[in-house]
Amino acid sequence: MKNIKNLIIIGLLLMCMMVVTACGGNASKTASEDKVYTLDLNIPLPDNSANSKVHYYSYKWFTEEIEKRSEGRMKINVYFNGQLAQLPELLDAVASGTVDMGYATTSFYGDLVPEGNITNLPLWAKDVDEAYDLWHNKGIGEIYNNAFKEYGVTPIMNNFVGNGGWLLNKPVHSVEDMKGLIIATYGGLFNAWLKELGATGVDLPNADWYDGMSRGVVDGIPTAFSTLKNLKLNEVVDYVVAPPFNNALMVTTFISNKTLEELPKDLQDILLETAKEAETQALQGSKEDSEKVLQEVKDFEKAKAFEVITLSKEAEKEFYDSIQPMWDEFASLSEGNAKIIEIIRENRKER
């Protein structure tokens, strides 16, 4: 009888322990599920999501979908005009975890991560479709992403923007016409190209491009044609050179490795999967944006805002040849860069 009582007591104790353990496990799970992870995304430029489908999918659609798909467990606050960190400091701010996420053309950080120079490398791809293929199917994206991960940030979305080229206040019909011009530059490799062209590069933040052109501080800017409207450069530009020399300008959304690692696995998956989908949507949006921008250029020219100069085939080849030393310098900066240029040149042969 005594043994039976002991067995009953032991059984009750075990049941209690199981209940307590179960309750504790449920409490822990509930606490984890109830926690809201709020991330800050810093964008150095003004909000352009209303005018560009690339930008719309990159940060407006993307952030709204994140909150929806995570059922409110993850939110991303977007800060424009570099409120949390200006462009020069942004990469290090994200790498250190001071800022959770950034959105930028990473050629600006080519001195820190050489592979970043690909985002503004002239003529590396003929259009956004070829750029996307080179990125995802030929290995360039993997090289680029790994390089930035080593620096402390993880690229989660890479978007391509078409139609980038020369906006000038002096006519240019050939490489010879570039000699003596003062051009706003992004530094680094762009200065090497300008030197080859006989021009001089001057560092000028995009916020100062309008004044720089209107006051004659610079003679030209190599940038996306969309800035003619977005930054009102149509008011201070006299010439636009066609065809564009950069049809695959690139903008990257990157997150601090520290921030990413602190997210629960299911939220990491939601973040990365949503970013991948946003990138695909933005690719299609980029094509629509390009058509819209080219029409804007025609409309501006018709209104005599500026003249469009169309280069001859000979002049196009001159500019392509002039870029080769820049490509060679890019390749010399790292093993990853050398492989990237090898991929680009091999792809060009196969066209």
Side-chain angles (χ1 to χ4, degrees):
M1 190 71 176
K2 184 176 181 181
N3 288 337
I4 294 174
K5 287 183 179 180
N6 288 339
L7 289 173
I8 292 173
I9 292 171
I10 292 171
L12 290 172
L13 288 172
L14 288 172
M15 290 178 62
C16 289
M17 289 174 65
M18 291 173 64
V19 170
V20 169
T21 301
C23 290
N26 288 336
S28 175
K29 183 178 179 181
T30 301
S32 175
E33 289 180 346
D34 286 345
K35 182 175 179 179
V36 175
Y37 294 82
T38 302
L39 280 55
D40 292 333
L41 168 59
N42 186 79
I43 298 176
L45 298 172
D47 182 2
N48 194 34
S49 59
N51 301 315
S52 165
K53 290 192 176 182
V54 171
H55 295 301
Y56 169 77
Y57 284 111
S58 297
Y59 48 76
K60 187 171 178 58
W61 182 89
F62 170 65
T63 54
E64 290 176 351
E65 282 296 304
I66 287 292
E67 184 168 355
K68 184 189 305 181
R69 297 182 185 190
S70 68
E71 297 181 340
R73 292 175 55 216
M74 180 164 47
K75 297 182 179 181
I76 299 177
N77 294 327
V78 184
Y79 296 85
F80 296 100
N81 298 307
Q83 293 179 56
L84 303 182
Q86 291 299 314
L87 184 60
E89 298 82 29
L90 180 56
L91 181 64
D92 283 335
V94 176
S96 67
T98 304
V99 176
D100 296 308
M101 302 174 67
Y103 180 81
T105 297
T106 58
S107 57
F108 196 89
Y109 311 114
D111 57 334
L112 302 174
V113 184
E115 290 77 3
N117 286 297
I118 185 62
T119 61
N120 200 20
L121 194 70
L123 296 177
W124 75 279
K126 66 179 179 180
D127 54 34
V128 295
D129 282 327
E130 184 174 80
Y132 191 86
D133 180 58
L134 285 167
W135 202 263
H136 291 286
N137 301 322
K138 301 293 179 64
I140 291 180
E142 183 178 0
I143 296 169
Y144 176 92
N145 291 342
N146 287 340
F148 276 92
K149 285 179 183 178
E150 288 181 12
Y151 196 80
V153 306
T154 297
I156 61 172
M157 191 191 321
N158 298 292
N159 296 318
F160 305 99
V161 182
N163 304 317
W166 301 112
L167 307 183
L168 304 161
N169 59 22
K170 294 183 179 180
V172 167
H173 296 272
S174 66
V175 166
E176 183 68 22
D177 294 333
M178 292 294 297
K179 289 184 178 179
L181 297 187
I182 300 173
I183 304 295
T185 182
Y186 306 92
L189 295 179
F190 244 90
N191 284 337
W193 185 29
L194 294 177
K195 183 178 180 181
E196 185 71 19
L197 293 171
T200 301
V202 175
D203 290 328
L204 190 70
N206 49 23
D208 296 331
W209 284 353
Y210 186 100
D211 287 342
M213 287 292 284
S214 64
R215 296 178 183 179
V217 175
V218 294
D219 298 311
I221 304 168
T223 187
F225 289 172
S226 59
T227 59
L228 287 164
K229 180 177 181 179
N230 298 340
L231 300 182
K232 298 184 178 180
L233 293 181
N234 64 290
E235 298 175 358
V236 293
V237 166
D238 295 324
Y239 302 95
V240 172
V241 179
F245 64 71
N246 201 334
N247 282 321
L249 291 161
M250 216 182 80
V251 187
T252 297
T253 302
F254 46 92
I255 185 171
S256 169
N257 289 352
K258 297 178 182 178
T259 299
L260 185 60
E261 290 166 2
E262 289 173 357
L263 292 175
K265 180 62 169 59
D266 65 321
L267 293 186
Q268 289 184 27
D269 292 341
I270 289 172
L271 181 74
L272 298 177
E273 288 168 7
T274 307
K276 183 177 181 180
E277 187 173 336
E279 183 179 271
T280 302
Q281 298 274 24
L283 179 68
Q284 180 59 38
S286 177
K287 300 173 192 177
E288 296 175 25
D289 285 346
S290 290
E291 292 178 5
K292 177 182 175 184
V293 167
L294 290 176
Q295 185 58 53
E296 289 172 354
V297 171
K298 292 178 182 178
D299 292 342
F300 281 134
E301 183 183 28
K302 188 175 181 180
K304 301 187 183 305
F306 48 72
E307 177 186 342
V308 175
I309 297 174
T310 301
L311 297 175
S312 66
K313 292 298 181 182
E314 293 77 9
E316 282 189 59
K317 186 178 185 307
E318 285 180 2
F319 275 99
Y320 173 73
D321 291 342
S322 74
I323 287 172
Q324 298 314 301
M326 180 186 185
W327 282 16
D328 290 338
E329 183 171 342
F330 173 89
S332 72
L333 296 177
S334 72
E335 291 183 9
N337 281 22
K339 182 60 179 176
I340 288 172
I341 285 297
E342 180 184 331
I343 294 170
I344 291 171
R345 283 177 167 153
E346 187 61 33
N347 178 74
R348 193 175 180 91
K349 290 178 185 177
E350 295 173 357
R351 282 183 190 170

